[in-house]
Amino acid sequence: MPGLFATLSATAKALEAQSYGLDVTGQNIANVGTAGYARREVILTTTAAPDPFSMGAGVQVSGVTATRDRLLERRLQLEKPSETREGAIADALGVVETMIGTSGSSIDKQMSNFFDAASRLSADPTAATARQDFLLAAQNLAGSFRDMASRLASAQQAADARVRGNVDEINGLTAQIARMNNQLGQVDPNGPQALTLKDQEKVALDRLTALIDVTAIERADGGVDLTVGNGHPLVIGSDSIALSAPQTGIAGFVDVTTNGNSILTEVTGGEIAGNIQVRDQFVKDYQTRLEALATQFVTSSNAVHTAGVDREGHAGGALFTTVPASGIAASMDVSTAIAGTATTAANLNKIAAGSIVGAPGDNQAARDMANLRDALTMDSGRATFSDSWGQLAYKVGNDTQAAKEEQASRQAIVNQVQSLSDAVSGVSIDEESMTMLKYQRAYEANAQFFRAIDSTLTTLFSIVN
Amino acid sequence: MQPSVDREPGAHPVAVGLRTTLERLAAALTNVNLDTLLACEGEMASALAATNKPVEVAPESRAATARELLAARAALVRCSRLGATLADLTRLSLASQGVGQTYGRRGESRATAGVHALEAKG
């Protein structure tokens, strides 16, 4: 037969356990919107009876668990980097697509205007207005090439800046995870502190996997070790190894290194991979295409112009000049001999419209220039200038669309895995609320008898005594 | 002939019935066992119905009956405390979500600010 103290002890434990269980339910409700929070469940165990004659010593809380599906979480960590990489590409290329402009409103329009001006010049090669019109069209076209080259360079620099920003954020997160690893090693691995730390670590890890594809290896104490690329350590226990972003890459762009080793080509997922791809592949490809177009345009038009004769009877000079070291598209401009400078006036007579000396009405050079519109000068003689620009614009649009579709596809996978993960770990506020209400209602149904029972007990006491 | 001093229903079985039911209820509240909570309602009604008839106490069972009554009263107090805790926690938890006392299955009175107010808790 248990003694009074044993009974009181059992009652106290039961009260404590029940209070703890309800507190956990309250925690679940309070954290329904907290990122990374996994639903807690109380593990109650019956306390062993102190002697063979006792019914038991009550109930006690033996632990609290966070309901998590490690497999789903790992799957999510694998899918997330691909989704965010495509998202970063789609976002950046969306901006480039806007820069390129719609068909007929960008460089293609300026090229068309230039050839139209050459046609008008051929119709009246001695007219000053036609020559002025031609000069203006040439200047506008050169300006368009420069502007486009500048915009693409800006897009590349913006991607480079984002890579740098990604590295800073990654370093912040790995340092944070290392600190949590350290804390996890100092607390009870089954206690509520450890669960809270794991929740916070999951949030940091989720963001990290959105930034870069890492390999996470769970530690015995609940923390994680992280590696990147071909096994380069990022976090080992309580130590984090920071990534660096020295400006030693191509064209002064940042490299991504760890312990002095470049991992630029090893990073294949996350926002940083998307930004690297935008900078080093996509925009670079567009720049190459633009440069090829500008180079061929300058070469062809200069060839026509130098083969012609200007109004002063001299052989035509170069129509366009460039500074190859700065890039043809980026430096393309109309020759100062024709357009003048800040201090010298334009000389329209330097425009070579004919090809015969002493024949003012000759328009051969102007006609040849206008005919360049349909000449198959690009893509090894298979495309016109306009075709070549169209291909570039199509490539940008196609890349953007492909990235968006890939992102949508990856997003669907991430959502599906997230839903499955939430079904296990998430807190349903309705479920928790209804659980508490159900218990309360059930208790109230019993409580309606308490007054009668109390009265009965009093009566019985009086009889017994 | 003298009537039996411990005729059915005697005080002792009634006390045992009440004590057993109240302890089951307390255990159900402790372990958060809804099925037992619901079952206790009927048991409680039956135990009380038994007290409607006159009861007498046999001298030999007086001490045992007294112990049962003490245990029953202790169980009753425990149930009241557990119930009060449950009610308070339910009320506070619902209030923290912006859910008032008129909360129903469709959550008519649910406010929007409550959840966010307590998010910092965990």
Side-chain angles (χ1 to χ4, degrees):
Chain A
M1 178 71 69
L4 178 61
F5 287 114
T7 305
L8 284 172
S9 172
T11 306
K13 282 179 182 171
L15 269 171
E16 188 182 344
Q18 196 242 17
S19 170
Y20 197 79
L22 287 168
D23 189 43
V24 165
T25 303
Q27 278 279 89
N28 285 343
I29 291 172
N31 285 284
V32 69
T34 304
Y37 184 83
R39 187 174 56 197
R40 308 286 200 261
E41 286 178 2
V42 178
I43 306 168
L44 295 172
T45 52
T46 304
T47 308
D51 58 68
F53 306 105
S54 297
M55 294 296 290
V59 65
Q60 65 180 6
V61 175
S62 61
V64 182
T65 59
T67 50
R68 278 222 166 97
D69 189 317
R70 295 279 172 212
L71 190 67
L72 286 173
E73 285 186 2
R74 187 61 56 85
R75 178 80 185 163
L76 205 55
Q77 284 163 9
L78 287 174
E79 295 294 342
K80 193 74 179 168
S82 302
E83 189 255 325
T84 50
R85 179 193 64 219
E86 298 302 325
I89 293 172
D91 287 349
L93 294 191
V95 175
V96 175
E97 192 179 25
T98 308
M99 291 175 183
I100 295 291
T102 54
S103 178
S105 65
S106 182
I107 285 180
D108 54 344
K109 183 184 179 185
Q110 297 303 332
M111 284 195 297
S112 182
N113 288 346
F114 174 79
F115 294 127
D116 289 345
S119 292
R120 286 193 292 274
L121 179 63
S122 70
D124 191 358
T126 57
T129 51
R131 285 175 174 270
Q132 181 66 48
D133 185 29
F134 180 75
L135 172 61
L136 191 62
Q139 286 175 317
N140 286 342
L141 177 59
S144 281
F145 271 108
R146 288 198 306 274
D147 187 43
M148 190 57 64
S150 169
R151 289 180 181 194
L152 289 178
S154 295
Q156 208 174 22
Q157 284 157 5
D160 185 59
R162 286 196 296 274
V163 171
R164 214 178 346 235
N166 290 152
V167 167
D168 289 342
E169 193 176 352
I170 288 166
N171 287 339
L173 288 166
T174 52
Q176 192 181 342
I177 290 170
R179 279 198 301 275
M180 290 174 190
N181 277 349
N182 184 40
Q183 289 172 302
L184 275 166
Q186 295 171 4
V187 299
D188 174 8
N190 297 316
Q193 274 182 297
L195 295 179
T196 303
L197 282 168
K198 284 178 189 174
D199 285 344
Q200 291 168 353
E201 195 164 69
K202 182 182 179 299
V203 173
L205 195 54
D206 282 350
R207 178 58 192 147
L208 187 65
T209 52
L211 287 169
I212 191 168
D213 50 340
V214 293
T215 303
I217 303 147
E218 198 163 338
R219 297 170 64 85
D221 58 11
V224 284
D225 288 339
L226 302 172
T227 62
V228 65
N230 299 332
H232 302 283
L234 269 182
V235 174
I236 301 293
S238 55
D239 297 321
S240 64
I241 296 91
L243 297 180
S244 299
Q247 283 186 294
T248 54
I250 303 161
F253 292 131
V254 296
D255 195 355
V256 179
T257 64
T258 173
N259 285 329
N261 301 312
S262 174
I263 57 166
L264 208 58
T265 55
E266 297 175 28
V267 175
T268 57
E271 286 177 27
I272 192 168
N275 289 324
I276 290 170
Q277 279 189 36
V278 167
R279 185 190 73 182
D280 297 347
Q281 293 174 28
F282 289 101
V283 177
K284 193 176 178 189
D285 177 45
Y286 308 149
Q287 287 175 318
T288 304
R289 287 167 181 264
L290 181 71
E291 192 70 356
L293 176 60
T295 302
Q296 190 57 50
F297 197 96
V298 168
T299 302
S300 298
S301 55
N302 279 354
V304 169
H305 202 259
T306 52
V309 175
D310 65 23
R311 211 175 165 201
E312 296 167 348
H314 302 124
L319 175 62
F320 293 108
T321 54
T322 59
V323 182
S326 305
I328 303 297
S331 62
M332 183 176 168
D333 206 351
V334 177
S335 165
T336 52
I338 301 169
T341 63
T343 55
T344 60
N347 185 353
L348 297 175
N349 289 333
K350 286 291 182 185
I351 293 172
S355 59
I356 303 168
V357 178
D362 180 31
N363 64 356
Q364 186 60 48
R367 280 193 289 123
D368 289 345
M369 194 71 82
N371 288 339
L372 284 177
R373 183 202 303 262
D374 300 319
L376 297 173
T377 48
M378 298 297 298
D379 196 17
S380 304
R382 291 194 292 269
T384 64
F385 292 123
S386 181
D387 291 340
S388 183
W389 172 257
Q391 285 165 6
L392 169 55
Y394 174 78
K395 180 83 169 55
V396 174
N398 198 42
D399 287 344
T400 309
Q401 191 58 32
K404 283 178 180 169
E405 284 171 9
E406 188 65 20
Q407 185 199 13
S409 168
R410 299 279 182 180
Q411 178 76 57
I413 296 170
V414 169
N415 286 347
Q416 183 196 33
V417 178
Q418 185 75 58
S419 297
L420 288 168
S421 184
D422 285 350
V424 176
S425 305
V427 177
S428 162
I429 194 146
D430 286 338
E431 185 185 322
E432 299 289 351
S433 302
M434 288 313 296
T435 300
M436 295 194 82
L437 278 169
K438 274 192 292 188
Y439 288 126
Q440 191 188 9
R441 296 287 183 256
Y443 165 73
E444 284 171 351
N446 287 285
Q448 65 182 321
F449 296 108
F450 284 3
R451 187 180 295 275
I453 288 173
D454 190 41
S455 169
T456 300
L457 289 175
T458 304
T459 305
L460 289 172
F461 267 120
S462 66
I463 294 170
V464 169
N465 292 327
Chain B
M1 186 174 176
Q2 280 293 96
S4 167
V5 291
D6 203 7
R7 65 185 182 193
E8 291 295 336
H12 187 255
V14 169
V16 169
L18 283 172
R19 194 258 307 156
T20 307
T21 305
L22 288 168
E23 284 185 346
R24 265 169 59 78
L25 177 61
L29 284 168
T30 302
N31 294 308
V32 199
N33 187 328
L34 186 64
D35 289 340
T36 307
L37 271 177
L38 294 170
C40 281
E41 188 186 355
E43 290 178 24
M44 201 103 58
S46 300
L48 271 176
T51 64
N52 288 335
K53 299 172 186 172
V55 292
E56 289 187 22
V57 183
E60 63 273 24
S61 64
R62 188 176 297 272
T65 304
R67 279 197 299 273
E68 290 295 335
L69 290 173
L70 281 171
R73 174 147 285 173
L76 182 64
V77 171
R78 195 163 8 130
C79 286
S80 297
R81 286 179 180 164
L82 289 168
T85 309
L86 174 66
D88 280 344
L89 279 168
T90 305
R91 181 176 52 77
L92 289 170
S93 298
L94 292 175
S96 73
Q97 304 168 50
V99 180
Q101 290 185 339
T102 58
Y103 178 80
R105 291 182 72 84
R106 283 170 295 187
E108 308 89 280
S109 65
R110 183 172 177 164
T112 53
V115 173
H116 305 292
L118 268 190
E119 270 176 10
K121 181 183 172 186

